[in-house]
Amino acid sequence: MELFETILYSVEQGIATITLNRPQVRNSLNQKLRLELREAVEKASTDKNVRAVVLAASGQGFCAGADLTERLPGADEDGFVTRLLNEEYNPLILAIKQSPKPFVCAINGAAAGVGASLAMACDLIVMAEDAYLYSAFGAISLIPDGGAHKFLLEQLGSKRAYEMIALSQKLAAARCVELGLANRVVPAEELLAQAIQFARQVAAAAPLTLQYSKQILREAQSYDLESVMALEAEIQNRLIRSKDFREGSMAFFEKRKPEFEGC
């Protein structure tokens, strides 16, 4: 177990589990949590022994968003919020999105404000039956941040995304699955176990497939079809020359489970 103040971090059987651990404030993101979480994300992303990552939270809620009670030096200066988002929040979201490892988010209770962006940045989402995504910004005359506009637009389309933002809507777990924002809904008491099992299933897949398909899906969001096909062709050439492809091909014909090395 790694020593952090605001998160729990562990690795077991190739699965890194990162747990937000400020339950007394519904895991709202103060500066310490933001910085430690980014450190943990980067640690898991570069650990050769980690095949997949579970992002979870302690207590009764996944993340209540930014810690609005925290006062940092310079908070009253014009441009402070822009710098804070660009220097602390956005790099954290991008660290998850750009990680070569698959991230499975386990949402308990509310994923609100930038906490929803944190969840939506993950590749796969498992939600407890009583969990929900909450766009709370309109209620206090702000806009979603942390990439939320893009995440919601891609999944919901502009009309549903705008409705959710304008009306500060909560999307229940079952509705999130229906709309494609989440993969699975499970009983609350089984959330972490189910998320870890999901991560293990994913981790058993070919590491190079996981890494490069995540990259292509990310880049395809801003590419046209021809550019996506060109990127696929380039990466496919790289993978067909890999040790893992040779191993996978042999295992297929020998009717056995392949032993991938990620190279």
Side-chain angles (χ1 to χ4, degrees), residues 25 28 31-32 35 47 61 63 69 76 82 107 109 123-124 129 132 136 146 185 203 215 238 247 256:
V25 288
S28 59
Q31 186 175 62
K32 187 70 172 179
L35 298 179
D47 187 341
C63 179
T69 68
D76 294 328
T82 299
I107 302 179
D123 306 289
L124 303 163
E129 290 173 331
Y132 56 93
V185 179
Q215 174 191 335
R238 189 182 312 168
E247 165 62 14
R256 61 176 175 80

Side-chain angles (χ1 to χ4, degrees), residues 28 30 35 39 44 49 77 80 110 119 134-135 139 141 150 161-162 175 199 219 237 241:
S28 59
N30 65 355
L35 298 179
E39 180 183 348
N49 295 316
E77 299 174 3
F80 172 80
Y134 181 25
S135 178
S141 191
K150 185 168 181 61
Y162 191 64
R175 182 62 171 158
E219 297 185 13
N237 179 68
R241 301 167 67 85

Side-chain angles (χ1 to χ4, degrees), residues 111-113 116 120 132-139 144 148 152 156-172 176 179 181:
M120 289 188 291
Y132 56 93
L133 296 181
Y134 181 25
S135 178
F137 293 93
L152 292 174
L156 303 182
S158 63
K159 290 180 174 58
R160 280 180 173 162
Y162 191 64
E163 179 184 356
M164 183 178 180
I165 293 167
L167 302 183
S168 298
Q169 288 181 336
K170 298 178 181 179
L171 290 183
C176 287
L179 294 171
L181 283 164

Side-chain angles (χ1 to χ4, degrees), residues 53-69:
V53 184
V54 172
L55 180 61
S58 59
Q60 298 181 344
F62 176 74
C63 179
D67 187 344
L68 299 179
T69 68

Side-chain angles (χ1 to χ4, degrees), residues 5-256:
E5 291 182 25
T6 60
I7 65 170
L8 304 175
Y9 183 95
S10 62
V11 178
E12 185 176 351
Q13 297 179 340
I15 307 299
T17 302
I18 303 172
T19 305
L20 311 183
N21 195 35
R22 297 186 76 216
Q24 70 279 10
V25 288
R26 302 293 178 113
N27 299 303
S28 59
L29 296 166
N30 65 355
Q31 186 175 62
K32 187 70 172 179
L33 177 52
R34 293 191 296 271
L35 298 179
E36 288 195 337
L37 182 53
R38 183 179 174 188
E39 180 183 348
V41 167
E42 292 174 347
K43 180 179 180 64
S45 296
T46 56
D47 187 341
K48 294 181 179 179
N49 295 316
V50 170
R51 289 290 186 91
V53 184
V54 172
L55 180 61
S58 59
Q60 298 181 344
F62 176 74
C63 179
D67 187 344
L68 299 179
T69 68
E70 183 178 48
R71 298 293 294 176
L72 295 173
D76 294 328
E77 299 174 3
D78 185 26
F80 172 80
V81 171
T82 299
R83 291 194 299 274
L84 188 65
L85 285 168
N86 285 334
E87 293 175 4
E88 295 186 14
Y89 285 96
N90 295 347
L92 171 57
I93 300 295
L94 289 172
I96 295 172
K97 198 68 178 172
Q98 296 174 352
S99 170
K101 308 292 174 68
F103 273 68
V104 178
C105 187
I107 302 179
N108 56 314
V114 75
S117 295
L118 190 65
M120 289 188 291
C122 294
D123 306 289
L124 303 163
I125 294 179
V126 181
M127 299 181 74
E129 290 173 331
D130 60 351
Y132 56 93
L133 296 181
Y134 181 25
S135 178
F137 293 93
I140 55 174
S141 191
L142 292 176
I143 60 169
D145 49 32
H149 285 87
K150 185 168 181 61
F151 293 138
L152 292 174
L153 175 63
E154 289 169 352
Q155 203 57 54
L156 303 182
S158 63
K159 290 180 174 58
R160 280 180 173 162
Y162 191 64
E163 179 184 356
M164 183 178 180
I165 293 167
L167 302 183
S168 298
Q169 288 181 336
K170 298 178 181 179
L171 290 183
R175 182 62 171 158
C176 287
V177 171
E178 181 182 341
L179 294 171
L181 283 164
N183 298 86
R184 302 178 182 181
V185 179
V186 301
E189 64 273 14
E190 299 177 13
L191 176 63
L192 185 57
Q194 292 271 14
I196 291 174
Q197 178 59 27
F198 195 9
R200 284 177 178 157
Q201 291 174 336
V202 173
L208 295 178
T209 299
L210 296 175
Q211 175 183 341
Y212 286 107
S213 283
K214 176 173 179 173
Q215 174 191 335
I216 294 169
L217 287 170
R218 181 178 68 244
E219 297 185 13
Q221 294 167 357
S222 58
Y223 284 8
D224 58 25
L225 178 59
E226 290 83 357
S227 298
V228 173
M229 290 191 293
L231 180 59
E232 289 171 339
E234 177 185 342
I235 291 176
Q236 194 75 297
N237 179 68
R238 189 182 312 168
L239 297 190
I240 209 165
R241 301 167 67 85
S242 68
K243 288 177 61 177
D244 276 4
F245 172 69
R246 292 194 296 274
E247 165 62 14
S249 299
M250 290 174 58
F252 177 80
F253 287 112
E254 294 171 3
K255 294 181 171 53
R256 61 176 175 80

